[in-house]
Amino acid sequence: MTLLLILLLHVVFIWPVSESGRIDLSDQQTPPNHYYRPGDYLITAVVPLRTAMYPEHTFKFDPIHDFVTVLERNYQHVRAILLAIDEINENPQLLPNMTLGYNIYENSFSVRIPSEATIDLLSTGHWMVPNFKCGRQESLLAVIQGGAVEDFWQIATMLDIYKVPQLTYSFVNHVLSDQTQFPSSYWMAPKETPQYEGTVTLLLHFRWTWVGFIVPDHDAGERFARTMRTMVSRSGICVAFMQRISTLFSLRQQEFIEDVLCFLRQVTQRKANVLIYYGDLNSMLLLPHMLHTAEEESNAPLGKVWITTALWGFTLSNSFEYWDIKFFHGALTFTTQMNKKAKSQNLFFTQDEYFMVWSETFNCFSSSHRSSSKTWNVCIERETLKGLLSAWQEKGLSAESYSIYNAVYVVAHAVHAMITSTPNRIVMAKEDRCDLWNIQPWQLHPFLKSIRFNSTTMNEVYFDEDGELAADYDLVNVVTFPNESAVRINVGKLDTQAASGLTLTIEEEVIAWPSWFNQTRPRSVCTASCQPGFHKVVPEGKQMCCYDCLPCTKGTISTQEDADHCDECPEDQYSNGNKVQCIPKVIVFLSYVEPLGITLTFFALFLSLTTVFVFGIFIKYLQTPLVKANNWTLTYVLLASLLLSSLSSFLFLGQPNQLTCLLRQTAFSIIFSVAVSSVLAKTITVVLAFMATKPGNRMRKWMGKKLANATVLFCSVGQFGICVVWIGISPPFPELDVHSQFDQIILQCNEGSVTMFYCALGYMGFLAAISFTVAFLARKLPGGFNEAKFITFSMLVFCSVWVSFLPTYLSTKGKYMVAVQIFSILASSTGLLGCIFLPKCYIILQRPDLNTKEYLMRK
């Protein structure tokens, strides 16, 4: 009943009908070929041999394609099967007492024909009705399949029902290689994922960070684009554009024009000089035509570097009659690695030679007796094959054909392993061959999974845990010539099985770059490289490869192109003017020999000598009324402290050490406190002297040297106590300041406790303020003993110097801070010496007539 229903559907819906309503088999178009050779066991192959165009369905004719182009390179696939089977049949050690035959179907790049071929090979006799034993069952071992992704789906879905091994030699996305979905499938092409990683490594090696992607507009191309976009993004590579192109057999004329215009806009981006192409043979047939049309539209050569995976369907032959291969000069592609003998065979037949070989090899006739929606040209092998095979073998096979060649041997070795490991023979009812093994296809799976043998084309053939062929890749450089011929040159190796992981080796000096790059390594970047001394900054809204170059800041450098950031120099080094090198900083301090140090030394010595000179005058004229009237003890203490203060400035000059750092601030603070205390004592003495002259005033008892000495001692002890606490808590120490100056290391004294430093200055300022206040109030007191006016002016100078010292000191760095403090010491000392003692020295030396007791008493 089922058979009758199928036949009825064939008659009503599928068979061509003429205008008169009658079935007209003459309207059928040229059918595909079915190459056949009988044998004890058969290996079936479904391979694309001829390209075809498919008309729109009108439901008036049988939807058979028109053949337009014969691909002679794909006839090598059939030739590889014939070679392998012939060698196996002549090898008595491999399959003794057994002969292999074959069924080879053309799929003509159609997603319909592989389905029919699968149904045909699963059917018996002359009827395409699977599951019905209407005739003798052929002994099928395995199916070898190539072509597009859709072909794999069509065949694998049906073969998995019968658990027939399917060996695929095409590179198909590894979503399809899932053993849980397709447990009967094996892959004669190595894994694709290492090629993706190798492509990324290749881009990083040549520093190509701005690349374009060209992928076929189908599921496999979309998966490739999604996977590669993620991988390149993680490696810092940006995708300039993603161009999808239709396959040749699904494209209409208007779509082709639109694709070409879009393709032209994308590819003519001159910055993206590297294009990554993932294409099967269908899209490869269209791509050169699109490139040619785009070049004519732009009136400029479309010079690009092409990088492809091993999926790249076309195999280079000596002559291309319908492809313009100049666009692919300098292309880099991965190919399955073969041994040296296989690599050396790279010669091919021309199209005419193939026609001659095939016509002499096969006798074809139409199989109109089949009850099928499509008919086949059945081609039976002639007996002249052996001589032809010898001639073909001298010509060699393509890399893809070697995968098919190995697939046949994989099946043969699996059968050999099965028959040598089975203890008992299962006799099959077959006339004259009762010793023939009854082998079912599903029984081969355990042996296929564990197969391992040395091949003539590869060092070792075996499948990994995913049912995929384990192999390495060669990196091949395509070199074309003006006569439309091309050769492939090995320029590297992608090792996928190394213990250290995937490694890519490249012989860059061997690579022939496209001529439009003047034989130099092409650049493919969005932005010109940032030179050393600059770093990359990605503007908001742009890809990370389209960046701006900003110069490194002070103290940082970059020594490589396209630095992501600038590296800081060590603390003891600084960056040079170009920001490409770190230079050791110079250690500096306020030295005696530099101009500033010499100047300060001169003024310190001059002030010291002046103080000594004044000291000598007062000692010489000790008995004069003027000296006696000014409390010579306080005068000597003040002069001594001024002398020591000027000499203390030398502690600030020269290279700091532990002793000088410990003494400079403490000695300065104590000495100046003594000086200001002496001035304060003088002021108090003047006030008390005036008050004591009034009758009945009780201040008379405070008059004398004891009060003055006590004032000096008490005030000085206070500062001394502050310095002792300072040294005890956190004493000053020498240090190297590497941060204050860009190109210098400052050797300076760290004050230790900054709080104690300002306490010492504050205490000295407090004494000066009291002295100034008392002197200011007593400035108008009469009498010859009154020197409050001079003290007031001297304290005014002193306070002005030290008030301006604080902001100046805090605003300077390094040795100039030291210079500011030395200047303040010398200026304040000069103010005290000049304002208090200069008038007295003038009277003593120039006006001795005023230095009399009568004059002083009168005043």
Side-chain angles (χ1 to χ4, degrees):
M1 188 66 181
T2 304
L3 178 60
L4 292 176
L5 179 60
I6 292 175
L7 293 176
L8 180 63
L9 291 175
H10 278 303
V11 171
V12 174
F13 294 106
I14 301 179
W15 279 16
V17 180
S18 66
E19 294 182 359
S20 62
R22 299 168 56 189
I23 297 174
D24 188 2
L25 295 178
S26 63
D27 288 335
Q28 294 188 11
Q29 302 175 32
T30 305
N33 288 334
H34 167 210
Y35 303 102
Y36 177 77
R37 172 181 174 180
D40 297 328
Y41 291 97
L42 299 181
I43 293 178
T44 297
V46 182
V47 295
L49 297 181
R50 293 179 285 183
T51 63
M53 295 295 293
Y54 300 94
E56 295 184 12
H57 302 319
T58 61
F59 298 97
K60 294 182 179 180
F61 302 99
D62 185 14
I64 300 287
H65 51 267
D66 289 327
F67 296 104
V68 295
T69 306
V70 176
L71 299 181
E72 57 268 18
R73 63 167 294 279
N74 280 23
Y75 273 93
Q76 290 191 39
H77 301 171
V78 179
R79 169 188 161 207
I81 298 174
L82 270 57
L83 279 171
I85 290 179
D86 188 65
E87 291 176 359
I88 293 170
N89 288 336
E90 291 183 354
N91 185 356
Q93 304 298 325
L94 187 57
L95 296 179
N97 301 323
M98 188 181 299
T99 302
L100 289 183
Y102 57 80
N103 271 321
I104 302 176
Y105 295 90
E106 291 186 17
N107 71 8
S108 302
F109 297 96
S110 168
V111 295
R112 300 188 299 270
I113 295 181
S115 299
E116 181 191 358
T118 308
I119 294 175
D120 184 66
L121 68 92
L122 293 174
S123 303
T124 59
H126 300 295
W127 301 90
M128 291 184 61
V129 185
N131 283 339
F132 284 86
K133 296 185 178 181
C134 301
R136 185 177 62 84
Q137 179 74 35
E138 294 179 341
S139 301
L140 176 65
L141 291 177
V143 176
I144 299 173
Q145 174 264 326
V149 177
E150 292 80 3
D151 298 344
F152 173 86
W153 280 99
Q154 295 284 349
I155 297 175
T157 303
M158 287 186 281
L159 290 184
D160 278 341
I161 299 174
Y162 300 92
K163 296 182 174 56
V164 176
Q166 177 185 3
L167 285 77
T168 302
Y169 62 86
S170 298
F171 284 89
V172 184
N173 192 282
H174 284 272
V175 173
L176 306 179
S177 64
D178 187 357
Q179 286 285 292
T180 59
Q181 295 188 43
F182 304 102
S184 300
S185 299
Y186 301 88
W187 303 90
M188 293 308 300
K191 291 183 178 180
E192 263 190 330
T193 306
Q195 296 182 75
Y196 303 165
E197 298 175 6
T199 301
V200 174
T201 305
L202 184 66
L203 295 176
L204 293 175
H205 174 81
F206 291 114
R207 303 179 67 181
W208 293 331
T209 58
W210 190 245
V211 298
F213 279 77
I214 299 178
V215 296
D217 191 11
H218 52 54
D219 291 342
E222 185 62 32
R223 282 190 291 266
F224 170 81
R226 187 167 55 249
T227 303
M228 281 298 296
R229 186 187 286 272
T230 302
M231 294 180 66
V232 298
S233 297
R234 286 200 301 260
S235 302
I237 301 169
C238 300
V239 179
F241 62 87
M242 181 77 69
Q243 177 64 39
R244 293 172 175 83
I245 58 175
S246 302
T247 57
L248 177 63
F249 312 117
S250 63
L251 194 66
R252 305 179 189 276
Q253 183 176 2
Q254 183 60 34
E255 293 175 346
F256 176 75
I257 296 174
E258 294 175 357
D259 275 6
V260 168
L261 294 177
C262 181
F263 184 81
L264 178 63
R265 288 193 299 270
Q266 298 286 13
V267 176
T268 51
Q269 290 190 16
R270 293 298 173 183
K271 291 182 179 180
N273 289 323
V274 174
L275 302 180
I276 298 176
Y277 174 64
Y278 179 89
D280 49 21
L281 186 58
N282 291 354
S283 59
M284 184 59 212
L285 292 173
L286 181 63
L287 182 60
H289 186 41
M290 295 183 69
L291 289 171
H292 180 75
T293 306
E295 186 177 68
E296 289 182 344
E297 291 289 334
S298 62
N299 294 320
L302 300 178
K304 304 293 179 181
V305 176
W306 294 80
I307 298 178
T308 72
T309 64
L311 180 62
W312 202 10
F314 82 95
T315 301
L316 293 175
S317 65
N318 290 332
S319 174
F320 286 81
E321 297 181 1
Y322 43 87
W323 287 346
D324 191 353
I325 62 172
K326 67 178 181 180
F327 301 105
F328 306 110
H329 177 70
L332 297 172
T333 180
F334 292 100
T335 60
T336 306
Q337 191 176 83
M338 298 178 294
N339 61 26
K340 294 181 179 180
K341 179 181 178 181
K343 290 179 184 179
S344 64
Q345 298 171 344
N346 195 27
L347 298 175
F348 302 90
F349 283 104
T350 65
Q351 183 171 330
D352 293 337
E353 289 176 320
Y354 272 103
F355 288 149
M356 180 189 69
V357 168
W358 242 248
S359 63
E360 293 181 2
T361 304
F362 295 98
N363 181 25
C364 299
F365 58 91
S366 176
S367 59
S368 58
H369 57 272
R370 296 191 177 196
S371 299
S372 170
S373 61
K374 304 181 182 71
T375 60
W376 296 87
N377 275 339
V378 178
C379 302
I380 303 298
E381 181 184 314
R382 297 175 185 267
E383 297 180 357
T384 58
L385 176 63
K386 186 172 182 180
L388 291 173
L389 287 177
S390 301
W392 294 346
Q393 194 165 14
E394 294 177 0
K395 285 282 187 177
L397 293 173
S398 66
E400 195 174 16
S401 297
Y402 276 116
S403 297
I404 303 173
Y405 177 86
N406 283 332
V408 177
Y409 267 96
V410 165
V411 176
H413 279 276
V415 173
H416 176 80
M418 178 181 176
I419 62 179
T420 55
S421 62
T422 304
N424 298 315
R425 295 191 173 187
I426 304 174
V427 179
M428 178 179 180
K430 187 175 181 182
E431 54 180 276
D432 300 331
R433 292 303 305 274
C434 61
D435 60 337
L436 191 64
W437 291 78
N438 184 17
I439 300 175
Q440 299 299 319
W442 57 266
Q443 294 175 310
L444 295 178
H445 287 296
F447 303 97
L448 287 172
K449 294 180 185 297
S450 60
I451 197 70
R452 204 177 190 104
F453 66 94
N454 291 324
S455 171
T456 59
T457 63
M458 299 178 63
N459 293 330
E460 191 172 27
V461 177
Y462 65 96
F463 296 108
D464 61 14
E465 63 277 3
D466 297 323
E468 297 171 293
L469 187 71
D472 297 326
Y473 292 93
D474 285 325
L475 180 63
V476 174
N477 183 216
V478 179
V479 181
T480 65
F481 301 98
N483 63 351
E484 291 298 312
S485 62
V487 295
R488 296 182 300 181
I489 302 174
N490 284 357
V491 295
K493 175 185 177 183
L494 181 62
D495 192 349
T496 63
Q497 305 174 74
S500 58
L502 186 142
T503 57
L504 176 65
T505 56
I506 303 174
E507 300 177 17
E508 186 174 348
E509 64 280 0
V510 184
I511 298 177
W513 298 113
S515 56
W516 42 84
F517 293 112
N518 297 322
Q519 297 302 318
T520 60
R521 180 200 290 186
R523 292 177 58 83
S524 188
V525 295
C526 179
T527 305
S529 298
C530 292
Q531 298 301 313
F534 293 80
H535 68 103
K536 300 187 298 185
V537 176
V538 180
E540 185 177 357
K542 290 189 176 182
Q543 295 193 64
M544 60 181 176
C545 301
C546 301
Y547 46 80
D548 296 331
C549 297
L550 297 182
C552 295
T553 58
K554 285 186 176 181
T556 61
I557 63 169
S558 64
T559 58
Q560 297 179 347
E561 290 185 352
D562 294 330
D564 293 325
H565 60 275
C566 297
D567 299 320
E568 290 189 3
C569 291
E571 290 186 343
D572 59 343
Q573 298 180 12
Y574 69 99
S575 56
N576 63 351
N578 297 329
K579 305 297 188 298
V580 297
Q581 183 181 5
C582 290
I583 303 174
K585 293 182 178 180
V586 179
I587 299 178
V588 297
F589 51 87
L590 187 57
S591 173
Y592 291 100
V593 296
E594 62 179 293
L596 182 59
I598 293 173
T599 303
L600 294 175
T601 300
F602 171 77
F603 281 107
L605 290 175
F606 178 78
L607 181 60
S608 299
L609 294 175
T610 303
T611 304
V612 171
F613 177 73
V614 173
F615 209 123
I617 292 174
F618 271 73
I619 292 175
K620 181 178 180 180
Y621 295 95
L622 178 62
Q623 301 302 324
T624 61
L626 183 61
V627 176
K628 290 182 178 181
N630 280 276
N631 192 338
W632 61 270
T633 303
L634 289 179
T635 300
Y636 290 162
V637 171
L638 179 57
L639 286 173
S641 61
L642 291 176
L643 176 61
L644 292 176
S645 66
S646 61
L647 293 175
S648 68
S649 61
F650 289 103
L651 294 173
F652 293 85
L653 291 169
Q655 182 175 348
N657 54 54
Q658 187 67 42
L659 181 61
T660 56
C661 288
L662 191 65
L663 293 178
R664 61 167 56 171
Q665 297 293 355
T666 55
F668 151 73
S669 301
I670 294 173
I671 291 171
F672 256 80
S673 296
V674 172
V676 176
S677 299
S678 301
V679 174
L680 177 60
K682 274 181 168 291
T683 308
I684 294 174
T685 300
V686 170
V687 174
L688 292 178
F690 174 77
M691 296 177 65
T693 58
K694 296 180 181 180
N697 195 302
R698 296 180 180 180
M699 291 296 177
R700 183 181 296 273
K701 62 181 181 180
W702 293 101
M703 290 295 294
K705 295 182 178 180
K706 291 183 179 180
L707 177 61
N709 295 338
T711 300
V712 174
L713 181 61
F714 177 78
C715 293
S716 301
V717 167
Q719 185 70 286
F720 181 79
I722 292 174
C723 293
V724 170
V725 173
W726 185 1
I727 293 174
I729 295 177
S730 180
F733 59 89
E735 71 168 359
L736 295 174
D737 181 7
V738 297
H739 302 292
S740 297
Q741 294 295 330
F742 165 67
D743 56 349
Q744 295 176 343
I745 297 177
I746 301 172
L747 180 56
Q748 63 182 10
C749 289
N750 188 302
E751 309 305 344
S753 174
V754 178
T755 302
M756 297 306 297
F757 171 69
Y758 286 111
C759 285
L761 288 181
Y763 183 80
M764 188 175 62
F766 172 72
L767 295 180
I770 294 177
S771 180
F772 172 76
T773 302
V774 174
F776 180 78
L777 295 176
R779 71 189 185 282
K780 294 183 178 180
L781 294 177
F785 298 97
N786 186 9
E787 53 181 343
K789 293 181 181 180
F790 304 132
I791 294 175
T792 300
F793 191 70
S794 66
M795 286 294 102
L796 182 62
V797 174
F798 184 89
C799 292
S800 299
V801 169
W802 287 103
V803 168
S804 61
F805 161 78
L806 286 176
T808 307
Y809 181 81
L810 295 176
S811 62
T812 55
K813 295 180 180 180
K815 61 183 180 181
Y816 297 103
M817 295 179 66
V818 180
V820 168
Q821 189 165 1
I822 294 175
F823 175 80
S824 300
I825 294 172
L826 296 178
S828 57
S829 298
T830 302
L832 292 176
L833 183 65
C835 295
I836 295 177
F837 293 100
L838 185 60
K840 296 179 176 60
C841 291
Y842 174 76
I843 293 174
I844 293 173
L845 297 178
Q846 298 297 324
R847 298 295 301 275
D849 57 308
L850 301 179
N851 190 9
T852 61
K853 185 176 181 180
E854 293 77 12
Y855 177 79
L856 294 177
M857 292 299 293
R858 188 169 63 249
K859 293 289 292 182

